[in-house]
Amino acid sequence: RFSESMLHTWDIGFNPSTRYENKNDWGLTPLEGESPKMMLRRGVVIPCFESGIISYIKIRVLPKELQGDEPKYRKLAGSLPGIMGLDTVLKTEIVFATEGELNLLPLWAAINRVPDCYKIGAISFGSASDYEALKPNIERFIPVKRIIAYFDKDKAGMQARQRLLEMSGKVEFAKLNAKDFADAYQNGNDLSAWVQYHIERAPIFAGDLAFEK
């Protein structure tokens, strides 16, 4: 379970029941042939803000309530591509990058417990499959000195690594003694020490996907 301060920092909420609402009520005009209704699934509500404006809203369905091959995350109609945490990386020297939005919560909390945290940003790609659509956003933080990334080792994560490498030679792929940052936090891992270690060590920039230090 995440702390209240983590949830508050990122405006994470909870939708207590699945319901259907009119798209028009959300300022959306249904396309021809589309349903005029949109589903708001019961689950954890994850908004992504960029410059104070909502880019997208996702709902994380509770694991025990997933039905069949239902996706874990549902993006609300009208959502646009976005990078959660993008506003934290402007004018920073080091950026930590992860995939899922919920991994960003404990990562950002850990960053804020290390010295000179104002020089460090953190972002979530949300979904590696959206990478091409995110390209204009990604170019905003490429000028930073170092990008320290940890992605899942599945197909989507490996694709995200390759694409990030294509955009910057300043990428470092880190190891983590857990599936992801959320699991590391739940297991009691000292993520602040992990962040501090990667900040203090000499940069080891990845030359290819097989290079991971």
Side-chain angles (χ1 to χ4, degrees):
R1 298 177 62 182
F2 297 118
S3 69
E4 185 174 342
S5 63
M6 289 183 189
L7 299 173
H8 178 74
T9 296
W10 297 99
D11 294 305
I12 305 298
F14 186 76
N15 181 33
S17 62
T18 298
R19 63 185 188 276
Y20 291 84
E21 295 192 2
N22 292 318
K23 291 180 179 178
N24 288 333
D25 293 339
W26 285 67
L28 302 173
T29 302
L31 299 175
E32 185 176 352
E34 276 191 344
S35 169
K37 299 282 188 178
M38 59 185 288
M39 180 173 71
L40 302 180
R41 188 73 163 83
R42 167 182 157 87
V44 179
V45 180
I46 306 170
C48 172
F49 291 89
E50 291 182 10
S51 301
I53 300 174
I54 292 181
S55 295
Y56 67 75
I57 298 176
K58 283 184 180 179
I59 295 181
R60 172 61 162 94
V61 183
L62 302 180
K64 293 182 179 180
E65 298 182 10
L66 287 168
Q67 301 176 5
D69 59 355
E70 179 182 13
K72 293 187 296 183
Y73 290 88
R74 286 183 171 273
K75 186 176 285 189
L76 268 61
S79 293
L80 301 172
I83 297 178
M84 188 170 174
L86 186 62
D87 291 344
T88 73
V89 310
L90 303 179
K91 299 181 180 181
T92 57
E93 298 179 1
I94 301 174
V95 173
F96 284 84
T98 184
E99 278 186 77
E101 291 92 349
L102 295 181
N103 288 311
L104 191 58
L105 276 64
L107 175 59
W108 183 244
I111 288 172
N112 279 275
R113 291 193 294 270
V114 304
D116 296 330
C117 61
Y118 65 91
K119 298 179 181 179
I120 309 166
I123 57 100
S124 161
F125 282 111
S127 172
S129 62
D130 290 339
Y131 194 91
E132 288 303 320
L134 295 175
K135 203 168 182 178
N137 307 63
I138 293 168
E139 290 172 347
R140 290 175 58 187
F141 70 81
I142 291 304
V144 302
K145 295 179 180 178
R146 299 169 65 189
I147 301 171
I148 302 171
Y150 179 80
F151 296 145
D152 291 344
K153 294 180 175 61
D154 57 14
K155 182 178 179 181
M158 296 299 280
Q159 289 176 343
R161 294 182 181 201
Q162 180 62 55
R163 289 164 179 163
L164 190 54
L165 280 173
E166 291 170 358
M167 296 202 63
S168 174
K170 305 172 186 176
V171 180
E172 305 167 55
F173 292 119
K175 286 187 176 181
L176 181 68
N177 189 26
K179 177 182 178 295
D180 52 36
F181 293 108
D183 277 358
Y185 170 75
Q186 301 292 349
N187 295 336
N189 294 23
D190 189 345
L191 287 176
S192 291
W194 183 91
V195 168
Q196 189 70 44
Y197 165 76
H198 285 88
I199 292 172
E200 293 178 349
R201 76 173 189 177
I204 305 174
F205 297 126
D208 55 59
L209 290 182
F211 196 145
E212 185 176 76
K213 294 288 187 180

